[in-house]
């Protein structure tokens, strides 16, 4: 039985010290002195009645009791932080926090945000660009846009787009000395590749497109290779070659004339992979979250034409 309830500062000091196994580094993280950290640890050890650290002249390690306490305190502090974040969120009804994968954020979401801000005056939109796995329980987010199969148990998941892929390039490339009138002419140009594969599905690539176009003697190792769609598209805009652009992400560039579509032949993206809109069930009806979700769905429908 605890002799008394430890204070929050003691718990934070233990959490930092248990991670660093060094009072000086823990003190630096907490912006206090090492002596203050040592005092807080002593207070916690007095409360639980046992030593939590073994100290020698060279190093420090957790006792068995400290090892048991470490994950419990870390979870408690993280849970408290999440709860406080949600309280602040409830107190700020104009804010919506959004996380989006890099390519969809750069090529589709951000260029449209002014339309949302015009339609919802006073909205406070916070954008996090990330491809990290989603964890709504641990992250302070309201809405997510992610590429993949859309399997998120317990969350509301809505598919945004049905994409096709086709060659795109800068209009300046068409003005050069090399012709680009038939698919075989592409062999004279630098081809820009997107290297992506997941769970046995291969994203449509130049080899697939060339075979569909009747070009069989094709070397798909040459050219520029990217792992991000937005980078491949930007390389095409900059005139570095011809890319396979997906219809959603190149739509604005085609409309503005930054890119052109030299051939009509298109490949469909794998049916099981798409961009999805993901929201929490318990916060989906918050006015700002609902407004942003409805706006995203309307913009996605408009993008599909």
């Amino acid at each position: 039985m605890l002799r008394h309830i430890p204070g929050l500062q003691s718990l934070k000091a233990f959490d930092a010290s248990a991670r660093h196994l060094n009072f000086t580094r823990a003190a630096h993280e907490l912006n206090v002195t090492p002596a203050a950290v040592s005092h807080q640890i002593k207070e916690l050890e007095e409360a639980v009645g046992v030593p939590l650290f073994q100290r020698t002249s060279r190093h420090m390690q957790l006792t068995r009791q400290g090892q048991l306490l470490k994950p419990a305190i870390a979870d408690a502090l993280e849970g408290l932080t999440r709860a406080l974040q949600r309280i602040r969120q409830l107190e700020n009804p104009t804010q919506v926090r959004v996380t989006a994968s890099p390519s969809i954020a750069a090529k589709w979401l951000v260029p449209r945000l002014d339309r949302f801000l015009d339609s919802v005056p006073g909205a406070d939109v916070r954008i996090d660009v990330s491809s990290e796995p989603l964890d709504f329980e641990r992250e302070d987010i309201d809405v997510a846009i992610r590429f993949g199969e859309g399997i998120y148990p317990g969350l509301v998941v809505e598919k945004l787009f049905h994409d096709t892929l086709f060659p795109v390039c800068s209009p300046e490339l068409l003005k050069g000395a090399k012709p680009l009138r038939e698919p075989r002419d592409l062999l004279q140009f630098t081809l820009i590749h997107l290297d992506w594969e997941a769970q046995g599905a291969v994203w449509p690539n130049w080899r697939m497109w060339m075979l569909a176009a009747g070009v069989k003697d094709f070397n798909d190792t040459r050219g520029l290779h990217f792992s991000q769609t937005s980078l491949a598209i930007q390389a095409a805009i900059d005139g570095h070659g011809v890319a396979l652009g997906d219809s959603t992400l190149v739509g604005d560039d085609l409309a503005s004339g930054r890119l052109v579509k030299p051939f009509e032949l298109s490949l469909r993206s794998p049916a099981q992979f798409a961009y999805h809109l993901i929201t929490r069930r318990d916060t989906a009806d918050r006015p700002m979250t609902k407004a942003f979700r409805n706006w995203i769905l309307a913009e996605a429908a408009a993008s599909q034409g």
Side-chain angles (χ1 to χ4, degrees):
M1 187 173 183
L2 288 179
R3 299 176 183 179
H4 67 272
I5 301 298
L8 179 61
Q9 294 305 317
S10 292
L11 300 182
K12 291 171 67 176
F14 174 81
D15 176 65
S17 299
R19 284 185 284 106
H20 294 293
L21 293 178
N22 184 287
F23 284 171
T24 299
R25 288 198 290 270
H28 180 74
E29 177 183 319
L30 299 172
N31 198 27
V32 297
T33 65
V37 170
S38 179
H39 175 77
Q40 296 293 348
I41 296 299
K42 183 178 179 181
E43 180 181 288
L44 182 60
E45 289 177 328
E46 290 175 352
V48 298
V50 294
L52 300 174
F53 292 93
Q54 290 178 338
R55 306 168 182 83
T56 69
S57 59
R58 291 191 172 184
H59 61 86
M60 180 171 68
Q61 64 185 27
L62 288 166
T63 64
R64 183 180 179 186
Q65 293 88 342
Q67 291 171 354
L68 289 172
L69 196 58
K70 180 183 177 182
I73 288 182
D75 288 346
L77 291 174
E78 188 173 358
L80 179 60
T81 299
R82 292 199 304 271
L84 291 173
Q85 287 173 339
R86 292 191 185 162
I87 289 171
R88 286 196 295 269
Q89 200 172 48
L90 291 173
E91 294 300 311
N92 187 358
T94 64
Q95 188 176 103
V96 60
R97 293 180 177 269
V98 183
T99 177
S101 303
S103 291
I104 194 71
K107 301 304 299 180
W108 188 86
L109 177 61
V110 172
R112 287 165 169 73
L113 278 178
D114 60 334
R115 299 209 280 261
F116 177 73
L117 297 175
D118 288 342
S119 66
V120 186
D124 178 7
V125 183
R126 307 294 176 95
I127 304 290
D128 171 61
V129 177
S130 173
S131 294
E132 292 299 313
L134 286 180
D135 190 340
F136 276 82
E137 290 301 318
R138 294 179 179 274
E139 299 177 57
D140 186 18
I141 53 177
D142 301 301
V143 178
I145 302 176
R146 285 291 190 274
F147 182 81
E149 293 184 285
I151 301 175
Y152 298 96
L155 300 174
V156 180
V157 181
E158 297 163 284
K159 183 180 286 189
L160 291 177
F161 310 110
H162 300 280
D163 281 321
T164 57
L165 289 95
F166 42 79
V168 292
C169 65
S170 166
E172 297 302 313
L173 237 60
L174 302 184
K175 299 176 183 178
K178 299 176 184 177
L180 191 52
R181 293 186 290 267
E182 58 182 53
R184 180 166 292 278
D185 292 337
L186 285 164
L187 300 180
Q188 305 177 78
F189 292 84
T190 297
L191 298 182
I192 300 169
H193 304 264
L194 177 66
D195 297 327
W196 185 91
E197 184 175 350
Q199 299 180 16
V202 179
W203 195 245
N205 55 38
W206 274 115
R207 174 164 290 280
M208 297 177 186
W209 191 91
M210 288 291 194
L211 286 174
V215 181
K216 297 180 180 179
D217 52 338
F218 168 63
N219 179 2
D220 61 356
T221 61
R222 67 181 185 86
L224 295 172
H225 292 255
F226 293 95
S227 60
Q228 289 278 350
T229 306
S230 57
L231 297 178
I233 294 171
Q234 188 59 49
I237 291 172
D238 293 339
H240 297 308
V242 185
L244 276 180
D246 71 58
S247 51
T248 296
L249 300 187
V250 299
D252 290 348
D253 295 315
L254 290 171
S256 69
R258 290 188 293 270
L259 288 174
V260 293
K261 182 180 176 182
F263 304 107
E264 289 299 321
L265 177 63
S266 300
L267 301 178
R268 290 197 63 83
S269 60
Q272 70 269 42
F273 290 103
Y275 281 103
H276 295 87
L277 180 70
I278 307 115
T279 51
R280 294 172 56 103
R281 293 186 184 279
D282 58 348
T283 61
D285 287 333
R286 283 185 62 237
M288 192 57 65
T289 302
K290 189 173 183 179
F292 195 83
R293 170 187 168 274
N294 290 341
W295 173 78
I296 285 281
L297 292 175
E299 288 287 339
S303 293
Q304 295 291 287

